[in-house]
Amino acid sequence: FQITSVLSITHRGTGVALTAYALGLAGVGLTTDINSVVSFVDALNLSAPILLAGKFILAFPVSYHTANGIRHLIWDTGRALTIKKVYTTGYAMLGAAILTNLVLTLL
């Protein structure tokens, strides 16, 4: 596996996940309100580590897809297209996505 292919596949996968989130939220919005969902999750009495893991998993597609989307926008300007810069921006994007994901998880 090359990092370029893994990042590309992950970008597509997170796009699919975000579509599923949007459809799920739309479905919930049509059938009930968000307060009912929050009450349901609260009634599960999940431990703090489980809640943090769930938030991390839910936030990952948002942070990764956004960070990689910004990287693609930079590429659209014709910048950072050499192999060295593609790898450099890939690692930078991963760092930014992980940092953003941690911040979202801790909210």
Side-chain angles (χ1 to χ4, degrees):
F1 287 97
Q2 296 177 353
I3 186 172
T4 52
S5 59
V6 171
L7 296 179
S8 177
I9 292 166
T10 306
H11 185 73
R12 294 165 199 261
T14 56
V16 170
L18 291 174
T19 301
Y21 288 0
L23 292 173
L25 284 173
V28 168
L30 290 173
T31 58
T32 186
D33 61 26
I34 194 68
N35 292 329
S36 299
V37 175
V38 172
S39 296
F40 172 76
V41 172
D42 191 39
L44 293 174
N45 293 321
L46 300 172
S47 66
I50 298 293
L51 283 174
L52 281 175
K55 288 169 66 175
F56 187 89
I57 291 167
L58 287 173
F60 179 75
V62 175
S63 60
Y64 182 90
H65 202 79
T66 301
N68 205 32
I70 292 168
R71 181 175 174 231
H72 277 265
L73 288 174
I74 292 169
W75 286 351
D76 288 345
T77 67
R79 293 186 220 143
L81 293 173
T82 65
I83 292 296
K84 182 179 179 184
K85 293 212 177 193
V86 166
Y87 275 77
T88 302
T89 59
Y91 289 119
M93 180 276 304
L94 278 175
I98 290 169
L99 181 64
T100 304
N101 197 31
L102 289 173
V103 169
L104 290 174
T105 299
L106 296 175
L107 287 179

